[in-house]
Every structure is written in C-alpha cells, then in structure tokens.
Amino acid sequence: MGSFSIWHWAILLVVVLLVFGTAKLKNAGKDLGSAVKGFKDAVKDGEKEAKESATPQNLENKKADTQVKDESVVDEQKNSRVE
C-alpha cells in the first residue's frame, strides 16, 4: 500500500492525459525546457564574466584605477585646503 505499482502509474497517466490533453502537456514541457535552458545559459554567462574579471590583467587594471581614484581624491583634498 505504501508504494505505487506500475498499474497505479498507468492509471494516473491516463487520467492526466484526459484532464489536460496532449497539447497542453506538450506546451508545458516546451515551456519548462526553455526555462531550464535559459537558466543554464544565464549561469554560464555569469561564470564567464566572473572568470574574465578575475584575470591577472583585469586585476592589475582595477588596482591601477583604484590608485588613480585615490590620488585624485588626495589632490582634491589638498586643493580644498589650499583655498
């Protein structure tokens, strides 16, 4: 009684087909498949962007940008004190 036999699954399948019809089930399967594909593509794009931003050249560029910004802030502070 605790588990379903093959006959239980067969009857359940027939009832689902009668209630929803094959066209609705086919469309639902397509929609689910496209949603999963879209999710996988988004994950791949995110991983690709993370790898690109973690390359040594990009890290050096980020450090250089940070240093330039820090120097400009210091220059602005010096200029504001002089005035």
Side-chain angles (χ1 to χ4, degrees):
M1 183 80 194
S3 64
F4 287 104
S5 70
I6 189 70
W7 295 109
H8 289 106
W9 289 112
I11 293 170
L12 182 64
L13 178 64
V14 169
V15 170
V16 168
L17 287 174
L18 288 174
V19 171
F20 293 108
T22 57
K24 287 184 182 179
L25 291 176
K26 183 179 175 183
N27 290 339
K30 284 182 182 178
D31 292 341
L32 181 63
S34 64
V36 170
K37 184 179 178 183
F39 177 75
K40 286 182 181 180
D41 290 342
V43 169
K44 285 180 185 177
D45 289 343
E47 289 174 355
K48 183 179 176 183
E49 289 176 7
K51 286 180 183 179
E52 288 175 356
S53 66
T55 60
Q57 183 179 6
N58 288 340
L59 293 176
E60 290 175 10
N61 291 341
K62 287 181 183 178
K63 287 180 184 178
D65 289 343
T66 304
Q67 289 174 350
V68 169
K69 288 178 185 176
D70 291 343
E71 291 173 2
S72 64
V73 169
V74 170
D75 290 341
E76 289 175 8
Q77 290 175 350
K78 285 181 183 178
N79 291 337
S80 66
R81 289 182 190 161
V82 172
E83 297 174 358

